[in-house]
Amino acid sequence: MVSSYVVIVPVKPPALGKSRLVGLDDARRRGLARAFALDTVTACLAAEHVAQVLVATDDASFARELGDLGCATVPDGDTTDLNSALRQAAAEALRRWPELTPAALLADLPALRAGELDRALASFDAQGPSFVADADGVGTTMYTAPYDQFDPQFGPDSRHAHRVSGALELGLDLPSLRRDVDDVDGLRAAIALGVGAASQVVAAELDLT
C-alpha cells in the first residue's frame, strides 16, 4: 500500500528569491520565483499520492494566493535555516495530519510533472528516510521520512549529507523532479523540459539566448 503524503514546500518571499539568476532585473527575478512556486505546488496538488500541500512562507499576500489554489500555509518560522523551518513545518503537519507522511520539496521546480512526483512517492521507503538528488548530482530536491525520523539536510552538497545521514537515494529517472532552477542555465534546462503555465508566461518575456 502506498503511503499518502503531506508535501511541505518552503517558499521564500518572492522579493528575496532567485538571487543567483544573474543578468535579470529584480522584477523578473521576483516574477520567476513566484511562478516557480505556483507551478511546483500546482503539480503537487494534481498528484494522486499527495493528500495535502503545506507551504511555509512569511509572505502573507503570497500565502493567500497559494491558499486559494488549495494549499495549507504556515509562517516560515526560521528564514535563516531551511532545515529548521522544515522541521517546524513538519511538526505542524504532524499536529494536523498525523496519518500522513511528510515530504519536503523545493519550490523551484517549474517543470515538475504530477506523474513523476507520484512515481517518486510510490517508490520511497515508507519505513525510513529517502531523497531525490538534483539534476547536477550535488543537491537534493525532495526528502521524506516518517515524522519521528524527519531530519532534512538541505544545504551545500546535500546529496552527500543525506547519504551520510542514512537516507535512501531514489535512483529513478525523474527529470522534472530533479530539475531545480538556481541559475540561468538551470532555467534554460527547465524550459526545455516544459515549464508550467505560470513560468511559461514569465519566461516568454525573457531573452535567454
Side-chain angles (χ1 to χ4, degrees):
M1 180 178 177
V2 177
S3 298
S4 291
Y5 289 83
V6 49
V7 176
I8 301 169
V9 184
V11 177
K12 290 182 181 179
L16 302 178
K18 301 294 102 186
S19 60
R20 290 170 57 188
L21 284 169
V22 295
L24 303 181
D25 60 39
D26 289 344
R28 285 186 169 86
R29 283 199 296 270
R30 288 194 297 269
L32 285 169
R34 173 185 171 278
F36 293 170
L38 288 172
D39 287 334
T40 300
V41 299
T42 297
C44 291
L45 290 166
E48 179 181 353
H49 297 310
V50 177
Q52 297 287 342
V53 178
L54 180 63
V55 175
T57 183
D58 282 335
D59 188 314
S61 176
F62 197 42
R64 287 192 294 272
E65 185 175 2
L66 293 166
D68 288 342
L69 292 178
C71 301
T73 63
V74 292
D76 186 311
D78 189 341
T79 58
T80 61
D81 180 52
L82 173 58
N83 294 310
S84 176
L86 288 170
R87 287 191 290 271
Q88 290 179 51
E92 177 61 18
L94 172 60
R95 187 185 71 81
R96 298 189 191 193
W97 308 291
E99 75 283 4
L100 301 180
T101 300
L105 181 71
L106 297 185
D108 57 352
L109 299 167
L112 182 62
R113 302 287 186 270
E116 280 191 23
L117 180 56
D118 271 329
R119 283 185 63 211
L121 294 174
S123 301
F124 282 135
D125 177 7
Q127 306 304 314
S130 305
F131 73 99
V132 175
D134 66 13
D136 296 329
V138 176
T140 301
T141 60
M142 190 174 194
Y143 167 87
T144 183
Y147 284 116
D148 60 353
Q149 300 179 52
F150 191 82
D151 187 25
Q153 302 292 321
F154 289 95
D157 201 9
S158 61
R159 181 188 188 189
H160 176 72
H162 280 124
R163 281 176 162 179
V164 169
S165 74
L168 176 67
E169 181 175 359
L170 203 60
L172 297 177
D173 181 28
L174 302 164
S176 77
L177 180 54
R178 297 183 188 278
R179 184 66 276 168
D180 58 339
V181 177
D182 287 326
D183 52 29
V184 173
D185 286 342
L187 177 56
R188 291 192 185 99
I191 291 171
L193 286 173
V195 295
S199 298
Q200 285 180 27
V201 172
V202 181
E205 302 173 353
L206 304 178
D207 180 6
L208 299 176
T209 58

